[in-house]
Amino acid sequence: MSKRFAVAQLDAIPPVPCPCGQARRAFHDVPGNTLATVHLTDIHADSKAHYHAKMTEIYIVLEGEGHLEADGEIIPLKPMTSVMIRPGCVHRAVGNLRIINVPMPPFDP
């Protein structure tokens, strides 16, 4: 019988480049996972505007301050702010931020 849980140490996962900065992606390699992944993401001031055709994201700000540009609106970001970004929403985070990003379904580069 396979385990019904998975554990990730986010700060031990090597970061990879993403449109926002650097992401440490957990649970993308769990067999049968079709629900979500969890990313510890360090956002830099020069993040790129982008959208996802089928993926919803939830951002949870851990550190830093800045704002999210979402479909032309400016949303202030500070620790403990959480934002749901639905498919098709053109977005980018601005500032130096550390967030938890929860992509649903799992992130697919």
Side-chain angles (χ1 to χ4, degrees), residues 4-21:
R4 293 181 289 185
F5 64 90
V7 177
Q9 185 64 42
L10 290 169
D11 59 352
I13 297 170
V16 295
C18 69
C20 296

Side-chain angles (χ1 to χ4, degrees), residues 27-52:
F27 308 124
H28 66 279
D29 57 353
V30 174
N33 177 18
T34 60
L35 298 176
T37 50
V38 175
H39 304 179
L40 176 61
T41 305
D42 290 306
I43 296 173
H44 307 293
D46 60 349
S47 67
K48 308 272 187 275
H50 62 285
Y51 72 96
H52 307 283

Side-chain angles (χ1 to χ4, degrees), residues 43-100:
I43 296 173
H44 307 293
D46 60 349
S47 67
K48 308 272 187 275
H50 62 285
Y51 72 96
H52 307 283
K54 298 179 181 177
M55 187 176 70
T56 296
E57 294 179 292
I58 295 177
Y59 283 15
I60 304 162
V61 179
L62 301 176
E63 299 173 10
E65 293 193 7
H67 66 271
L68 180 73
E69 296 174 4
D71 281 345
E73 291 190 37
I74 304 295
I75 298 128
L77 299 176
K78 63 181 183 178
M80 297 299 112
T81 302
S82 185
V83 181
M84 179 185 288
I85 303 166
R86 295 183 185 207
C89 178
V90 177
H91 62 283
R92 79 179 192 124
V94 177
N96 289 309
L97 301 154
R98 176 168 269 197
I99 69 165
I100 294 291

